[in-house]
Amino acid sequence: MTQSDQPPFTVGIEEEYLLVDPATGELVSDQDVQEAIIEDVRAAITDEIGMATPEFLKAQVEVGTAVCHSLQEARDRLRTLRTEVAEAAGKRGLAPIAASTHPTAKWLRLQHTDKERYAMLANDLQEVARRLVICGMHVHVGVEDNEHRIDLLGQIAYFLPHLLVLTTSSPFWQGRDTGLKSYRLSVFDELPRTGLPEHFDSWSHYEKHVEALVKSGALEDGSKLWWDIRPHFKFPTLEMRIADICTRLDDGIAVASIYSCLISMLQRLRRKNQRWRKYSNMLIRENRWRAQRYGFDEGLIDFGLTQRVSYSDLLEEIIELTAEDADRLRCVDEVAHTRTILKRGTSAHNQVRTYKDAIKAGQGEDAALKAVTDWLIEATVKDL
């Protein structure tokens, strides 16, 4: 198959930001402010760039790119969206932070956005929903064929912990260092229908399961399946949802690139009547926990070797495995940036380092945590 015969590549990225007061470092939970920021962003962009919408909390703003045909196009559009959110927030004396948890926010003090769908979600999930002071990054890669999409769902799940490792940005919760690199997953896993996806034999097999829940009144549609990766309920995409939001824009683009290359690699195997071995969720969950707890510090398990392997070695294997795909998708540099993430540390590493440095310098707990928020404010717009 020549390059011209390859299926067309499409990608889209969604990000969620928290709004903070730079003077205090605290979240600003004000729906009027949230709506004003969103209106400013909408006025500054076109549909070709993307969208800005409210999220579950009044202290949140979500953006999403339009459908893109390259990772560079996705970066340009996401850069514009981040820039406009930062400028709109700045006009009101606020700043966005791209982090999956806030260092000090107390969830009991926050309110959900006054929209019908969020009120329904809060009523359905009760205390579980009230704890959702978390943000994420979702990456959509287009896969037109239903059967192909459900087949890839089962194969790509193996790599989800490897992607999470590169994105961790939620080490703090309510003023405490949790000891986890991604505490966001601990909060999100309290919801129903989260975690690793089920294994399905076919698209009809998947549809029957969704239909059973819809007919029973358990959910309205597939949008209430909040797995780490899912076939999108509306668009022909595989939506990767396990990732924390990357504080640095270029880090997020690197992760989106390597995810896109992994999908491309699995598509190549499929055309050769080959496939990636499917592993049980029991095994993948172990790596998911290791990624959540340690990030890249303690490695992941190679189930073929049945031994723990350093993450840097695993990353090099993935880069080599997808080299042909990175070349086809013209994202070699973006994939290579994942090595920079390992050298510099993820957001979680840098947040903890900032906190510990402040404590060593003689600052109190409150000042050290404020230093973390200050770092997040600066790093969120660093690559813009």
Side-chain angles (χ1 to χ4, degrees), residues 56-320:
F56 180 69
L57 294 177
K58 294 178 181 179
Q60 284 178 304
V61 171
E62 180 179 4
V63 300
T65 69
V67 177
C68 303
H69 299 278
S70 72
L71 275 308
Q72 293 77 19
E73 187 178 34
R75 187 194 186 281
D76 289 344
R77 289 175 176 176
L78 196 59
R79 175 184 177 276
T80 297
L81 290 165
R82 271 206 194 199
T83 300
E84 294 300 337
V85 170
E87 291 184 357
K91 285 167 54 178
R92 294 160 179 86
L94 306 179
I97 60 170
S100 282
T101 57
H102 183 277
T104 62
K106 302 293 191 288
W107 58 268
L108 279 170
R109 300 176 186 173
L110 299 172
Q111 296 177 322
H112 68 75
T113 301
D114 187 16
K115 301 285 185 183
E116 183 180 0
R117 65 188 178 116
Y118 296 132
M120 291 174 62
L121 187 66
N123 181 65
D124 182 31
L125 297 174
Q126 292 293 307
E127 198 83 333
V128 171
R130 287 187 279 272
R131 279 173 42 84
L132 289 177
V133 191
I134 55 175
C135 295
M137 173 182 74
H138 303 163
V139 182
H140 296 254
V141 172
V143 182
E144 290 288 339
D145 183 83
N146 289 341
E147 297 297 339
H148 190 181
R149 194 157 64 253
I150 210 67
D151 183 41
L152 288 175
L153 176 72
Q155 297 183 66
I156 195 69
Y158 174 83
F159 296 100
L160 294 176
H162 302 70
L163 297 170
L164 174 63
V165 160
L166 295 167
T167 68
T168 56
S169 67
S170 51
F172 291 96
W173 182 252
Q174 299 200 118
R176 291 177 58 84
D177 179 355
T178 65
L180 277 66
K181 292 298 188 290
S182 176
Y183 191 74
R184 163 186 156 268
L185 277 193
S186 297
V187 177
F188 198 69
D189 283 349
E190 293 183 353
L191 274 67
R193 303 178 294 279
T194 55
L196 294 170
E198 297 289 336
H199 291 289
F200 300 101
D201 298 329
S202 64
W203 181 257
S204 63
H205 188 212
Y206 162 75
E207 283 191 312
K208 286 178 181 177
H209 280 72
V210 175
E211 185 180 1
L213 293 176
V214 171
K215 283 188 174 181
S216 67
L219 50 92
E220 294 84 22
D221 53 41
S223 67
K224 295 294 179 67
L225 297 174
W226 295 308
W227 296 328
D228 294 339
I229 188 168
R230 69 180 181 183
H232 193 269
F233 69 101
K234 185 176 180 181
F235 306 118
T237 67
L238 266 181
E239 180 189 7
M240 188 270 288
R241 302 166 50 84
I242 195 172
D244 277 7
I245 181 171
C246 293
T247 304
R248 297 282 294 259
L249 173 67
D250 286 344
D251 293 1
I253 297 301
V255 173
S257 298
I258 209 158
Y259 171 61
S260 300
C261 288
L262 284 167
I263 291 289
S264 176
M265 179 271 294
L266 295 175
Q267 289 174 318
R268 276 196 294 114
L269 291 180
R270 181 183 172 90
R271 289 192 293 272
K272 298 175 183 177
N273 292 318
Q274 299 172 348
R275 59 183 298 107
W276 196 260
R277 178 181 173 184
K278 284 188 179 179
Y279 290 91
S280 72
N281 280 356
M282 180 184 81
L283 295 179
I284 299 173
R285 281 193 197 102
E286 202 62 34
N287 269 345
R288 185 182 189 267
W289 162 248
R290 296 189 65 82
Q292 180 184 358
R293 166 66 176 88
Y294 302 108
F296 57 68
D297 295 340
E298 297 293 335
L300 298 177
I301 300 169
D302 183 318
F303 297 118
L305 299 175
T306 61
Q307 66 184 39
R308 195 171 69 196
V309 177
S310 72
Y311 184 78
S312 60
D313 288 347
L314 293 172
L315 179 61
E316 290 303 321
E317 288 181 8
I318 291 174
I319 291 174
E320 181 178 354

Side-chain angles (χ1 to χ4, degrees), residues 22-38:
T24 65
E26 297 301 318
L27 290 184
V28 177
S29 186
D30 185 322
Q31 189 163 335
D32 290 339
V33 171
Q34 177 201 52
E35 290 176 350
I37 290 171
I38 290 169

